[in-house]
Structures are given as C-alpha cells and as structure tokens.
Amino acid sequence: MLRPQILVTNDDGWDAPGLAALKMLAARFGDVFVIAPRDPHSYAGHRVTTDAPLTLTATGDREYHLSGTPADCVRVALKSLMPNIDWVLSGINRGGNLGVDIYSSGTVAAAREAVFLGKPAIAISQYVRRGVPLDWDVSTALAAPVLARLLTAATGPKEYWNVNLPHSENGASSAISNCDPDDEPLDVRFHRDGNEFHYSGKYAARPRTPGRDVEACFRGAVTVSRLHV
C-alpha cells in the first residue's frame, strides 16, 4: 500500500521548531514534503500574493521555503509543484488558534486554502501559557493520536480540521474534545499614548463559552473542530 503524500507548512516560518516537530510527526504517516514561508506570517490571515513573483529556495531534501504567505505556499505546492499531495498539514503553530482566531490565523488559512484547492487539511496549534516552558516533544505526543485519527476520518469536500493543543506541565496525556469554535471576541483593549495605540489585551482573558474550544483547551483538553468553507 502506497504511503500518503503529505505537504507540511506553517505561518511561523521555515525554521520554526513547531514546523520541525510536525514534519517529524507527519513522517510517521506518509511521505513528507515541506514548503513553508521564508519569513514569519503570524496573523496574516488568508493573504495571497498575485502582484509580485514568489521565490522558491531549497532548504533540504523535498524541503523549500517560499517568499510568500502560508496560503501562497499551499497554492504553489498544489498547483505547480506537487499536484499529487494527499493531505496538507499546517503548524504546529506557536500559540493557540482558538475561536475567532481562525479568521486571522495564517496557520488555519493554509489549511483552508488546501480545501479550496480540493485537498483535505488539518491545522494544528499549540496554546502557550505565559511563564510556562514549552516542550515540543510534549506537543508532538499530544498531536500524534489526534493526527492518526483525523488522517483516516471521513471529511466532506469543503471541510477541514482545526486542532489546538493545551499547554500542560503534567506530561503528554490529555483528553480530546470535539467541539465548535467559540464565537466570542478576544480581549481587545488598547493603551493610548498620544496618537499611538498599543494593544494591551490578554489572550487568556478572552471570554470562554462552555463546551466550545476556548474553554476546553484552557482547561487542558486537546480540541478538535470541524470547519467548513
């Protein structure tokens, strides 16, 4: 039986530790190809480049970085270089992509672009608690059983998955919560200094709707949300 062809990308940039973790994890399930942004594109959303050339540079065997956004990486891969890709995985993002984050997240945008182009996709993000060290081996252990399940799950042609990992100091075992994204806004506040406005909202202070992904991840569950385009 042929192993699936898996494209791995992210929005933190080609040299991010979360991308390295996802690349190693994906290799358990298929043959991995990497096209990731040359530069970080956090909070870039679904921006794409159509008015400038995109430069592709090899960084290793079947690995490249691109002078574009996460969505650009998926477009170039699927439409020009790797049309036979079976799955697109985006992440592991450093920082949660919960609730309304899905609209500003470059990580999620890469998965969404894959679905637009007819490929199933999973976005994976690691929520980070301030002041708590992050262990990517723990992130990998948390993501592994979810990825194993989702890669064999039935999805519709316009569906994809958004996964968020909790930040726990208690090892790599966590409950898995299938839940909808929270639709409450972030904690949006600004500190004004003359004509300058400095964002001062706290991610952990955002509202938490019981049973939705923000509340579940904050209490220590791996959250899995089925998204639609």
Side-chain angles (χ1 to χ4, degrees):
M1 183 176 179
L2 294 177
R3 284 162 58 82
Q5 307 290 291
I6 300 174
L7 172 67
V8 174
T9 190
N10 73 344
D11 78 355
D12 288 331
W14 69 278
D15 57 350
L19 182 75
L22 183 57
K23 179 178 67 178
M24 293 180 63
L25 177 57
R28 301 182 193 177
F29 303 99
D31 296 329
V32 175
F33 301 82
V34 177
I35 300 184
R38 181 187 64 196
D39 307 306
H41 284 277
S42 295
Y43 300 109
H46 210 115
R47 178 186 172 191
V48 295
T49 304
T50 60
D51 57 354
L54 295 166
T55 301
L56 185 74
T57 303
T59 59
D61 182 28
R62 299 189 298 190
E63 297 186 18
Y64 306 86
H65 67 51
L66 185 76
S67 62
T69 67
D72 286 332
C73 291
V74 174
R75 285 183 164 192
V76 168
L78 299 185
K79 301 305 288 187
S80 295
L81 295 177
M82 307 166 185
N84 295 322
I85 287 292
D86 297 301
W87 276 90
V88 174
L89 306 182
S90 183
I92 298 173
N93 188 68
R94 191 183 192 283
N97 279 307
L98 297 156
V100 295
D101 299 342
I102 62 177
Y103 299 102
S104 58
S105 167
T107 302
V108 178
R112 188 186 306 117
E113 183 64 34
V115 175
F116 287 154
L117 299 179
K119 302 294 183 178
I122 305 168
I124 306 177
S125 302
Q126 171 64 67
Y127 168 57
V128 179
R129 292 168 53 200
R130 187 181 299 273
V132 179
L134 183 58
D135 186 333
W136 288 108
D137 289 337
V138 172
S139 301
T140 301
L142 288 172
V146 179
L147 198 56
R149 190 185 80 187
L150 295 184
L151 288 173
T152 59
T155 56
K158 299 296 183 180
E159 296 178 339
Y160 62 110
W161 302 98
N162 187 41
V163 176
N164 280 274
L165 310 174
H167 193 177
S168 173
E169 297 175 276
N170 301 319
S173 178
S174 187
I176 298 173
S177 176
N178 296 288
C179 52
D180 293 329
D182 204 324
D183 57 5
E184 293 293 329
L186 290 161
D187 175 39
V188 178
R189 290 176 286 149
F190 294 90
H191 165 68
R192 183 170 183 172
D193 182 8
N195 291 328
E196 295 182 344
F197 291 81
H198 302 267
Y199 185 77
S200 59
K202 304 298 184 183
Y203 193 86
R206 64 195 297 178
R208 310 178 191 186
T209 303
R212 297 291 184 97
D213 64 348
V214 174
E215 181 271 333
C217 187
F218 281 10
R219 64 173 159 80
V222 176
T223 64
V224 179
S225 299
R226 188 193 298 260
L227 304 181
H228 305 262
V229 298

